[in-house]
Amino acid sequence: MSRAFNFSAGPATLPEPVLQQAQAELLDWHGVGASIVELSHRGPEFMQVAAEAEADLRTLMAIPDDYAMLFLQGGATAQQALIALNFAAPGQTVDYLVTGHWGKTALKQVQPYVAANVAANGEPGGFRDIPARESWKLSQDAAYLHYTANETIHGVEFGEIPDVGDVPLIADFSSSIASEPLDVSKFGVIYAGAQKNLGPVGVSVVIVRRELLERAGQPRAEIFDYRAHVKGESMLNTPPTWNWYLAGLVFKWMLAEGGVAEFAQRNARKSALLYQVIDNSGGYYRNEVAAAVRSRMNVPFFLHDEALDKPFLAEAQAAGLISLKGHRALGGMRASIYNAMPEEGVQALAAFMRDFQQRHG
Ligand SMILES: *Cc1c(COP(=O)(O)O)cnc(C)c1O
């Protein structure tokens, strides 16, 4: 068996030791005689798995005690709708920074419930930059400000946490959570689908400042109510146990590897290497994102001649480098290089890109 270096944007590559452990435990978890996915979510075995996952992610991200943590179904997209239901009254104004595809999605999810103000929009510039802070048109009394920390498709990442005073910050961290140290206390809510940087698809992590849960929000069913989920410890209904378990294994792996400070360094080296190959290619490859906001997690790039796309992908695949095709919205290529992508994988891609240029120059 040989595993390729998989640059998929999500679901994305998982750490090999995690997959091996899951495989070893699949039929018989810790001598119980059953798989963890065959056991009740309320039994002592899964309760232990769940509690350890939460404690490990708290440690990894240094999450303060006045923040609750949820492991929910519905993906990041469902959380985008739930934040309006939970944190803004009907028709109340909320502010959105739209810096790529996922910012637009987030906006679309809340428009039925609230008065969404687009405080900044990178679309006129093709989402190649983040509009300057001075140009943001913030509302007088927004219930919150939402932004996308890393735009997975457009490859645009905030280098700093936006400073918007006392307005609670709600941030989509789906593709950059736990990729570097983060001051969680600056946020009202951080949410992320797991399938980029935390584990398999099917579970989302929501980190919410408890005080915000006291907001009235909108009339909503219990299952859409974060307060009820916090009270029910993410077990209001059957949680996605397999996904939660696998994410828990990823957290343990991240801790063993040295935590987010270590991954921050690896991620900086990995992305710098790819941008260097692109920028030094004399226009053979190009990335169009402003240098200051280039993503450390997703590197979209184009070949100078579209006719080379097919051979590039085919030869990359033959070299054990897979899932490099760009998102259909942008075309070209995209290398997603989350925590689980080893540095050797990025080095192999960089070498392949230089070699391809020489052979097809
Ligand atoms: C993938 C992604 C989403 C959508 O996640 P789903 O789990 O498919 O709903 C939202 N935001 C960002 C930044 C993403 O990368």
Side-chain angles (χ1 to χ4, degrees):
M1 188 205 64
S2 83
R3 278 174 57 80
F5 290 118
N6 173 11
F7 296 90
S8 173
T13 195
L14 288 169
E16 205 168 299
V18 165
L19 294 175
Q20 277 162 349
Q21 188 177 346
Q23 182 182 43
E25 300 180 339
L26 186 60
L27 297 184
D28 179 9
W29 186 82
H30 296 204
V32 177
S35 172
I36 193 71
V37 289
E38 300 171 297
L39 296 170
S40 166
H41 55 294
R42 299 194 192 281
E45 298 87 2
F46 188 75
M47 292 297 263
Q48 182 193 328
V49 166
E52 280 183 25
E54 169 165 345
D56 287 341
L57 189 56
R58 263 190 202 281
T59 304
L60 258 177
M61 292 183 64
I63 299 171
D65 287 342
D66 58 330
Y67 284 73
M69 200 190 282
L70 297 170
F71 291 83
L72 301 178
Q73 305 185 27
T77 311
Q79 314 315 318
Q80 292 176 340
L82 293 181
I83 54 187
L85 290 177
N86 281 271
F87 304 117
Q92 198 177 356
T93 301
V94 296
D95 281 347
Y96 275 70
L97 305 179
V98 178
T99 55
H101 173 92
W102 293 112
K104 269 175 87 170
T105 309
L107 179 68
K108 195 166 75 179
Q109 300 308 320
V110 304
Q111 278 166 334
Y113 307 113
V114 290
N117 167 52
V118 179
N121 184 9
E123 190 157 27
F127 292 131
R128 293 188 189 93
D129 204 350
I130 293 176
R133 175 68 181 81
E134 309 81 69
S135 70
W136 298 358
K137 299 199 166 51
L138 301 174
S139 307
Q140 278 302 312
D141 44 15
Y144 61 78
L145 178 131
H146 179 281
Y147 79 103
T148 312
N150 179 64
E151 284 285 355
T152 318
I153 293 173
H154 290 89
V156 170
E157 183 174 20
F158 279 80
E160 285 166 23
I161 301 171
D163 178 8
V164 289
D166 292 338
V167 181
L169 267 186
I170 298 188
D172 180 354
F173 265 89
S174 291
S175 48
S176 56
I177 189 167
S179 66
E180 64 179 344
L182 182 72
D183 183 355
V184 173
S185 73
K186 291 245 166 32
F187 292 87
V189 181
I190 290 170
Y191 67 92
Q195 70 269 28
K196 280 62 182 249
N197 222 16
L198 295 184
V201 66
V203 64
S204 302
V205 169
V206 181
I207 300 160
V208 50
R209 199 162 69 220
R210 292 181 199 277
E211 162 250 317
L212 273 188
L213 293 164
E214 304 309 320
R215 293 211 176 175
Q218 323 245 337
R220 55 203 184 273
E222 188 190 38
I223 196 70
F224 297 150
D225 192 328
Y226 282 142
R227 288 171 305 192
H229 283 295
V230 169
K231 222 166 143 198
E233 299 184 326
S234 304
M235 297 203 187
L236 220 47
N237 63 336
T238 316
T241 54
W242 169 247
N243 320 63
W244 193 334
Y245 153 77
L246 272 181
L249 295 185
V250 173
F251 303 158
K252 287 193 188 304
W253 172 80
M254 285 199 243
L255 285 168
E257 291 288 305
V260 291
E262 170 65 22
F263 283 103
Q265 292 185 13
R266 293 185 197 174
N267 292 332
R269 286 195 295 264
K270 289 185 308 190
S271 53
L273 175 57
L274 286 188
Y275 288 120
Q276 194 188 4
V277 170
I278 293 166
D279 292 344
N280 292 346
S281 71
Y284 191 87
Y285 301 107
R286 73 180 192 283
N287 168 282
E288 298 175 340
V289 176
V293 299
R294 279 174 163 183
S295 170
R296 298 164 306 121
M297 314 307 290
N298 310 95
V299 180
F301 63 93
F302 302 90
L303 283 85
H304 72 102
D305 176 0
E306 256 179 54
L308 290 167
D309 286 2
K310 269 204 177 128
F312 182 91
L313 288 167
E315 291 183 30
Q317 182 162 357
L321 309 166
I322 66 170
S323 310
L324 283 162
K325 193 172 197 288
H327 189 273
R328 61 187 186 284
L330 274 189
M333 307 295 149
R334 174 174 47 168
S336 295
I337 49 175
Y338 305 117
N339 286 353
M341 170 57 65
E343 289 192 67
E344 303 83 73
V346 174
Q347 287 156 2
L349 174 59
F352 170 80
M353 288 170 70
R354 290 194 188 106
D355 181 56
F356 186 90
Q357 177 174 2
Q358 281 207 329
R359 286 184 293 106
H360 298 264

